[in-house]
Amino acid sequence: MEEILKIVDLVVKFSLRGRVLTAIRGASLTLNQGETLAIVGESGSGKSVFCKSFIGMLDNNGWVDSGHIFFEGKDMAPYTKERDWLAIRGKKIAMVFQDPMTALNPLRTVGLQIQEVIELHQRLRGGEARQRTYEILKDVGIDDVEMRYKQYPHEFSGGMRQRVVIAIAMACQARILVCDEPTTALDVTIQAQILQLIRDLQHKYNLTVIYITHDLGVVANVADRVAVMYAGDIIECGTAEEVFYNPQHPYTWALLSSLPQLGIKGEPLYSIKGTPPNLFQEIKGDAFAPRNPQALKIDFLERPPAFQVSPTHFAKTWLLDPRAPKLQPPPAIMALRAKFSEVS
Amino acid sequence: MAYDYNSSKPPLLEVRNMRVEFRVAGRRTPFVAVRDINFAIHEGETFGLVGESGSGKTTIGRAIIRINPLAEGEVIFQGERISGKIPAELDRSVIQNIQMIFQDPMASLNERAKVDYIISEGLINLKLFKSEEERRAKVRQALLDVGLLPEFSSRFPHEFSGGQRQRIGVARALIMNPRFIIADEPISALDVSIRAQVLNLLSQLQKERGLTYLIIAHDLSVMRFITDRIAVISKGVIVELADTEELFAHPLHPYTQALLSAVPSPDPIVERQKKLLVYDPSQHRYSESPPSWREVTPRHYVLANDEEADSYRTRLSPK
């Protein structure tokens, strides 16, 4: 498998009211051509910032402090000029935004908003660009394209608007499509349709897709590989089967155990105590340790390195160190592991 | 957990033939948000109302708590009609006994008021305390009940996380000592790890105080975990109503089936084998024989015409 994007020890910082916040704390990730990767995490875990760092969309008060972002053999980490990013953003890596209600310009027709992107990225003009717009609208499952072309966003339903947002991203003919919570604003039936649409487009155009989401149901549906983010670091990453059925990091355990689908009716759900750490302060040891009732002593002292569980699976937890005590994961996780042995 | 339906006690809340209409500017005929809504909720039960956005589920909750007036029908609470014009005494009792928890804890708390005021606003409006000490004691207790510290009462909402804010929203409802709580999407705005905390809090309070809940949500996986019975609403009409497990085991109405087929599951194998069903309203032949609300098997209600009801019964009968 060909690596298309490789991120090594990325550190992203923001300056806020004279203080420095470390949003991404040395996260590493590789993305393979044609795969679907899901980045899961709670709000504030840094999943959106992480993705914005490799399309040059960090806010003005944020910067890549150290680390590397290799894309097509070039390191994009030192990019600071808008001109550098213009060759990447949209052209090579496009983004589908979360809320279709705000991602579209309410004052311009849907057709023109797509055509604008085609004219910019595909160097087509006039009638040709218009024809291409019709094709893209058809691609994303919109019928009656000639009428739809002339309509404004408010004449579209939520699901249809999300299709338009996807059409705009597709119009760039990018290699990587980053979808930031593409379905959270939508109903479950529509959500399923949009996920299917993205999957169809991915096959048709050989796209590599990154999903940013907190919905583990969506992740299970779409992902080939899953990366779990906590407090600005990717603490576990593996194939969907590995992360869902054989999770290693206590945070992944906690996240999965707290799902109502895995709970027993009438009994309290497993819930994570406390709050995520303050990223203004330096974090010592494992960032999840203060919320982990079974944390080891070393968790508070030293940051765990990435331990390889299988060639495709790593987790940053001291539990994987050969010297660590063998801890029993929560019951819900034990049940999942039984499933894992069935699968593999 | 399992609620005893054999008891002969009358339901705590009953909705009869509810119809809610909204005037639309520039149109003669009003928009019918919900119609022919009938259900009864028993004391101690958790009743769920599921539907897509725009289906009218929130309208029903708001009509019960009397934010939206009814165009037809009535709402009965503790044996008394509470919709339409009611005496002032009953009005007070309804305000005290039916409380609401809102969806977005970021939007539903007054940013300029301290927690102390937010929580005791209901008490102040109904003058439910004799002295300042009593009010303070009640606020303190309400905060403790939802797992917050009494010191928090002097802080502002922006100082709290989403989960804590939702607890403040729960404390504000609890302080009135209600019997019935309407929770409109109580956890959909919260993060995964915090959802569990709020769900646990709701069920713990129910156990301790015998509360009755109407939970309005679109997330069926959460509903399955917390509700005893579920009503499925589509385009302003309830299409199916059954015990939660029965509904998941034997969904009858094609809309319910479509909804269940789309529920995301945190299991890659299940998700990959998932087959989506699409609901097409034109599959019903209602112009020839209109549907009615009927009990297909005991306690399992569905909106169907004669032909459909027969096919549902054969599907359910053991072979």
Side-chain angles (χ1 to χ4, degrees):
Chain A
M1 241 181 303
E2 187 203 342
E3 273 175 16
I4 180 166
L5 182 73
K6 187 179 175 78
I7 292 163
V8 186
D9 293 330
L10 185 72
V11 176
V12 175
K13 293 188 176 178
F14 286 88
S15 143
L16 274 174
R17 288 177 229 107
R19 292 204 288 166
V20 174
L21 178 146
T22 312
I24 303 296
R25 304 180 308 118
S28 301
L29 185 74
T30 50
L31 187 68
N32 301 316
Q33 164 69 33
E35 75 171 349
T36 306
L37 173 89
I39 302 180
V40 210
E42 294 178 62
S43 39
S45 61
K47 53 193 193 302
S48 288
V49 168
F50 184 68
C51 289
K52 282 180 175 173
S53 71
F54 54 76
I55 42 176
M57 275 180 62
L58 290 176
D59 291 341
N60 285 335
N61 60 342
W63 67 93
V64 173
D65 201 65
S66 64
H68 305 279
I69 306 169
F70 295 106
F71 176 69
E72 293 183 336
K74 253 195 224 141
D75 188 359
M76 305 195 294
Y79 284 10
T80 47
K81 286 196 211 76
E82 186 63 12
R83 191 188 300 161
D84 295 332
W85 282 116
L86 280 180
I88 302 293
R89 188 195 310 136
K91 275 210 162 48
K92 306 280 182 168
I93 308 178
M95 189 144 177
V96 174
F97 293 93
Q98 174 168 9
D99 187 355
M101 309 291 162
T102 52
L104 296 173
N105 182 345
L107 299 179
R108 302 192 74 199
T109 63
V110 158
L112 284 179
Q113 294 188 49
I114 300 172
Q115 194 168 328
E116 166 184 68
V117 178
I118 290 174
E119 287 176 356
L120 187 69
H121 286 288
Q122 301 187 19
R123 312 234 161 143
L124 297 174
R125 287 281 173 274
E128 268 182 299
R130 197 179 175 117
Q131 278 308 319
R132 185 72 194 117
T133 309
Y134 290 158
E135 282 167 32
I136 288 183
L137 279 170
K138 269 185 217 144
D139 259 354
V140 296
I142 292 176
D143 297 327
D144 256 337
V145 288
E146 281 168 44
M147 190 220 5
R148 287 302 205 173
Y149 179 93
K150 291 183 218 140
Q151 286 185 328
Y152 288 88
H154 75 264
E155 295 172 87
F156 284 64
S157 67
M160 280 298 175
R161 257 182 261 190
Q162 192 57 286
R163 286 173 193 266
V164 174
V165 176
I166 293 171
I168 292 176
M170 292 300 300
C172 313
Q173 294 186 314
R175 293 184 67 194
I176 302 179
L177 196 62
V178 180
C179 304
D180 189 355
E181 304 269 9
T183 59
T184 30
L186 305 174
D187 280 321
V188 279
T189 44
I190 312 292
Q191 165 172 310
Q193 292 168 18
I194 295 290
L195 296 181
Q196 187 57 47
L197 169 70
I198 296 176
R199 194 175 297 134
D200 293 344
L201 291 171
Q202 180 176 16
H203 288 296
K204 190 166 172 187
Y205 294 100
N206 189 24
L207 286 170
T208 308
V209 179
I210 300 178
Y211 277 91
I212 306 175
T213 181
H214 67 268
D215 186 334
L216 288 159
V218 170
V219 177
N221 184 296
V222 299
D224 300 318
R225 287 200 305 136
V226 181
V228 184
M229 267 197 117
Y230 184 76
D233 193 8
I234 291 175
I235 50 111
E236 181 156 7
C237 182
T239 65
E241 284 84 357
E242 284 167 339
V243 173
F244 274 96
Y245 301 136
N246 191 23
Q248 299 295 330
H249 197 285
Y251 176 69
T252 318
W253 291 353
L255 203 61
L256 287 170
S257 310
S258 66
L259 291 173
Q261 288 94 330
L262 300 183
I264 298 165
K265 208 168 170 167
E267 284 177 24
L269 271 179
Y270 181 88
S271 73
I272 306 177
K273 308 283 178 295
T275 49
N278 182 350
L279 296 174
F280 279 113
Q281 281 154 10
E282 200 194 334
I283 293 166
K284 232 182 156 193
D286 185 339
F288 186 61
R291 304 174 78 185
N292 179 8
Q294 293 176 297
L296 309 171
K297 257 187 202 155
I298 190 164
D299 281 336
F300 293 95
L301 301 172
E302 230 176 297
R303 191 162 171 189
F307 288 96
Q308 218 64 41
V309 183
S310 78
T312 51
H313 186 188
F314 76 80
K316 290 184 176 176
T317 168
W318 285 116
L319 287 180
L320 291 172
D321 191 279
R323 291 161 291 176
K326 293 280 162 274
L327 272 189
Q328 186 92 333
I333 303 300
M334 293 304 282
L336 289 175
R337 284 210 176 152
K339 227 173 187 173
F340 184 65
S341 45
E342 267 172 48
V343 180
S344 54
Chain B
M1 188 74 194
Y3 176 78
D4 176 19
Y5 291 98
N6 297 322
S7 82
S8 54
K9 271 170 88 180
L12 182 70
L13 181 105
E14 209 176 332
V15 172
R16 293 184 189 155
N17 297 317
M18 177 191 279
R19 180 186 180 94
V20 179
E21 297 176 347
F22 293 107
R23 265 177 222 297
V24 185
R27 290 223 189 129
R28 281 246 176 111
T29 48
F31 171 75
V32 182
V34 297
R35 61 194 161 86
D36 304 325
I37 303 293
N38 286 289
F39 59 83
I41 304 178
H42 300 267
E43 179 131 40
E45 184 182 30
T46 303
F47 187 89
L49 208 50
V50 217
E52 295 186 23
S53 47
S55 61
K57 55 190 194 301
T58 297
T59 304
I60 295 177
R62 289 168 64 96
I64 292 173
I65 208 164
R66 303 176 305 158
I67 298 173
N68 296 334
L70 302 190
E72 269 172 41
E74 52 187 5
V75 179
I76 314 283
F77 181 65
Q78 301 181 348
E80 285 180 282
R81 178 177 62 85
I82 60 163
S83 52
K85 260 204 150 89
I86 56 170
E89 190 55 30
L90 181 59
D91 188 55
R92 275 176 64 95
S93 142
V94 171
I95 292 174
Q96 196 220 310
N97 279 306
I98 306 183
Q99 284 288 315
M100 193 145 180
I101 298 169
F102 296 92
Q103 172 169 9
D104 185 356
M106 295 297 163
S108 61
L109 303 178
N110 183 349
E111 285 292 336
R112 289 160 179 259
K114 285 182 181 167
V115 169
D116 181 59
Y117 176 77
I118 292 173
I119 293 183
S120 52
E121 193 168 22
L123 294 180
I124 295 168
N125 288 344
L126 291 190
K127 302 198 177 56
L128 288 176
F129 56 93
K130 292 190 188 70
S131 62
E132 179 64 13
E133 286 78 57
E134 189 187 343
R135 187 188 65 82
R136 287 234 179 96
K138 281 190 168 177
V139 170
R140 188 187 154 80
Q141 192 54 46
L143 281 169
L144 286 171
D145 285 344
V146 296
L148 296 175
L149 297 172
E151 298 91 277
F152 289 177
S153 67
S154 60
R155 295 196 194 165
F156 287 96
H158 71 84
E159 299 174 62
F160 296 94
S161 68
Q164 286 175 322
R165 278 164 164 253
Q166 195 60 306
R167 284 163 189 268
I168 295 172
V170 176
R172 163 171 73 179
L174 280 182
I175 201 166
M176 303 296 281
N177 203 10
R179 293 183 69 189
F180 184 61
I181 289 183
I182 301 174
D184 190 352
E185 302 272 12
I187 61 161
S188 60
L190 305 176
D191 257 320
V192 192
S193 68
I194 295 165
R195 286 182 176 187
Q197 294 176 14
V198 174
L199 286 179
N200 286 345
L201 175 67
L202 290 178
S203 67
Q204 175 210 337
L205 290 170
Q206 181 171 46
K207 272 184 202 144
E208 286 169 9
R209 306 177 172 219
L211 286 172
T212 307
Y213 289 129
L214 169 63
I215 309 236
I216 300 167
H218 69 278
D219 186 340
L220 274 161
S221 53
V222 172
M223 287 300 235
R224 183 176 198 171
F225 184 73
I226 50 174
T227 60
D228 299 313
R229 280 195 301 154
I230 290 181
V232 181
I233 177 166
S234 165
K235 301 216 162 72
V237 186
I238 294 184
V239 296
E240 191 159 356
L241 175 100
D243 292 346
T244 301
E245 285 313 311
E246 164 72 10
L247 189 84
F248 275 85
H250 308 290
L252 293 177
H253 197 277
Y255 177 74
T256 314
Q257 293 179 338
L259 204 58
L260 286 181
S261 80
V263 174
S265 155
D267 187 325
I269 296 177
V270 173
E271 278 292 321
R272 280 173 203 153
Q273 290 165 351
K274 173 157 110 173
K275 281 207 181 66
L276 274 185
L277 301 172
V278 178
Y279 173 55
D280 175 13
S282 65
Q283 70 190 87
H284 303 289
R285 282 186 287 170
Y286 286 164
S287 50
E288 300 151 35
S289 105
S292 61
W293 187 234
R294 43 188 105 202
E295 190 168 13
V296 177
T297 54
R299 308 179 40 70
H300 191 156
Y301 298 83
V302 63
L303 185 71
N305 62 21
D306 293 335
E307 188 193 340
E308 287 171 336
D310 286 342
S311 80
Y312 293 158
R313 281 200 192 92
T314 29
R315 204 188 304 163
L316 286 184
S317 63
K319 276 155 206 141

